[in-house]
Amino acid sequence: MALSGNLEAQRRRDELVELANGPQGVMIEAAAELFAVSSMTIRRDLLELEAEGRVRRVRGGATAAPRARPFDARRAIRASAKRTIAEKALRLVPAHGSIALDASSTVNMLASAIGPRAGLTAYTNSFESFQVLHPLDGVTAVISGGTAEPTTGSLVGPIARRSMRSVYFDTFFSSADALDGADGTSEVSVDEAELKQAMAANAGTTVVCVDSSKLGRRSVARALERDEISVLITELDPGDERLDAFRDIADIL
């Protein structure tokens, strides 16, 4: 009987993964009805599947697990929104001092727009942003070191965290995999989240740059708390009602 139950549970979880990989993902209540089990059983299934890296839980259900994409492919997703965000964020980049930039494709768009400066040091955990910044007159580009995160390709781990904890930044420019009005930002992995926490801890100002598809969502690993965010930049007009849930968190551009 126990073996039969285990096989049934495994088949159900395999089917949940297939549903999560579909265009609409899988919702807990609908799955409970489909498999004739309780919603608590489905929640437990999704918790285990997320721990195995097979799905990503979202509010009310689950979607496909994050998969690694080449950096150029990630940069092309919602490219127009990212360009608008970069244009807004560029106004916050000083002529001199120190900044930190995460390894997201959104912030890389900002790095590509910076241009010459008068004595700016830019720290990053991104190969791509380092390559863009290194040739610029008046810019000293510093890369963190570390190991490549499998999903994003960014440099993470103890070496990267130790590097970022050793310096102070005037401004930290960060993107996020998701931004929730109550819980702040979250990322695809704990390593990614821990590095951004280290960068924000040493920053006078933390600027979160996310396109509107990231709003009102949660990803896998909690990263920046809402009170750590100073400025929120999206491609939306600052008066857009989709930003209402974030107005008490940060200044909005």
Side-chain angles (χ1 to χ4, degrees):
M1 182 70 73
L3 179 59
S4 175
N6 288 339
L7 289 173
E8 181 180 343
Q10 187 57 56
R11 280 196 295 268
R12 183 178 65 246
R13 288 169 189 157
D14 288 342
E15 290 185 42
L16 284 170
V17 172
E18 289 185 21
L19 291 170
N21 285 328
Q24 304 300 321
V26 59
M27 302 305 293
I28 290 172
E29 298 303 327
E33 183 175 349
L34 176 64
F35 294 107
V37 296
S38 69
S39 58
M40 184 58 69
T41 296
I42 298 297
R43 284 191 180 90
R44 285 196 296 266
D45 286 342
L46 295 180
L47 277 169
E48 291 190 23
L49 290 169
E50 185 179 54
E52 295 169 3
R54 300 179 68 193
V55 303
R56 176 171 67 181
R57 284 190 305 138
V58 296
R59 189 172 297 174
T63 60
R67 291 181 172 85
R69 290 192 187 101
F71 187 83
D72 287 345
R74 288 195 289 123
R75 200 172 190 267
I77 296 171
R78 297 182 63 83
S80 177
K82 291 174 182 178
R83 280 192 293 270
T84 299
I85 292 167
E87 289 169 3
K88 292 181 179 182
L90 187 59
R91 305 200 298 265
L92 303 181
V93 177
H96 52 80
S98 63
I99 62 172
L101 302 100
D102 76 2
S104 65
S105 57
T106 301
V107 172
N108 175 259
M109 197 81 78
L110 168 62
S112 300
I114 285 177
R117 284 298 188 267
L120 179 67
T121 302
Y123 298 83
T124 185
N125 64 320
S126 162
F127 285 117
E128 291 81 8
S129 290
F130 175 79
Q131 289 172 334
V132 166
L133 294 164
H134 176 66
L136 296 178
D137 290 339
V139 176
T140 300
V142 182
I143 194 165
S144 65
T147 56
E149 204 282 330
T151 303
T152 65
S154 61
L155 295 174
V156 296
I159 293 173
R161 291 197 300 272
R162 189 159 55 246
S163 172
M164 291 302 181
R165 284 176 181 149
S166 67
V167 290
Y168 292 107
F169 317 114
D170 297 318
T171 307
F172 169 38
F173 294 93
S174 175
S175 190
D177 192 50
L179 173 61
D180 180 81
D183 290 340
T185 70
S186 48
E187 302 296 339
V188 298
S189 72
V190 171
D191 275 340
E192 190 80 37
E194 287 181 342
L195 182 60
K196 293 189 182 184
Q197 289 164 1
M199 296 165 88
N202 278 6
T205 299
T206 293
V207 179
V208 170
C209 305
V210 291
D211 70 69
S212 57
S213 70
K214 310 290 183 69
L215 300 178
R217 294 180 44 239
R218 294 173 184 163
S219 189
V220 175
R222 292 186 68 166
L224 306 183
E225 299 293 338
R226 48 180 281 146
D227 61 2
E228 293 181 284
I229 303 169
S230 307
V231 180
L232 171 61
I233 300 179
T234 75
E235 83 281 11
L236 303 174
D237 182 277
D240 194 295
E241 64 181 14
R242 284 171 284 181
L243 296 169
D244 288 349
F246 308 96
R247 298 194 190 281
D248 65 337
I249 298 177
D251 294 331
I252 295 176
L253 297 182

